[in-house]
Amino acid sequence: MRMTDQTLELDCDKPTPTFSQRLAAGLAPLASLFRVFRNRIEINALHDLNDTQLRDIGLTRADLTSAFLASTFFEDPSEHLTRSARNRWRLSLFRSYQE
């Protein structure tokens, strides 16, 4: 036999995931859903703060309302609040440099 006629089959497939890996992959969407609902509850608790306390963390009442309106039921509204607070902080920095 020639060397070019011989083929070598290598088993290069991905290894089969273990039970714990499959379980973790199966529970990941459930954990994500739990995190979304927990964040929604925490954002609802922010409604109990007064305007000064909200301003201290970089938010307004309008941000809280728009976070719920901008996100669907299964989306995390905390991402919207984080963006709002960061944008307000950047804007305040920009204004402080102009003065």
Side-chain angles (χ1 to χ4, degrees), residues 6-55:
Q6 293 179 354
T7 59
L8 181 62
E9 292 187 26
L10 298 174
D11 190 17
C12 295
D13 292 336
K14 292 181 182 178
T16 324
T18 63
F19 174 74
S20 60
Q21 290 171 332
R22 288 182 294 185
L23 183 64
L27 292 178
L30 185 62
S32 176
L33 187 64
F34 175 73
R35 185 175 47 253
V36 167
F37 287 122
R38 186 185 66 218
N39 288 343
R40 282 185 173 275
I41 291 169
E42 293 298 324
I43 291 171
N44 271 334
L46 290 176
H47 282 288
D48 295 338
L49 300 177
N50 63 31
D51 291 337
T52 306
Q53 292 169 325
L54 285 174
R55 192 177 30 232

Side-chain angles (χ1 to χ4, degrees), residues 5 7 35 37 42 58 72-73 75 77 89-90 97-98:
D5 292 340
T7 59
R35 185 175 47 253
F37 287 122
E42 293 298 324
T72 63
F73 186 70
E75 289 178 337
W89 176 73
R90 288 180 186 137
Y97 285 129
Q98 285 182 339

Side-chain angles (χ1 to χ4, degrees), residues 79-92:
E79 295 172 6
H80 179 77
L81 288 180
T82 302
R83 278 193 308 272
S84 296
R86 284 184 182 158
N87 290 340
R88 188 166 289 110
W89 176 73
R90 288 180 186 137
L91 186 61
S92 69

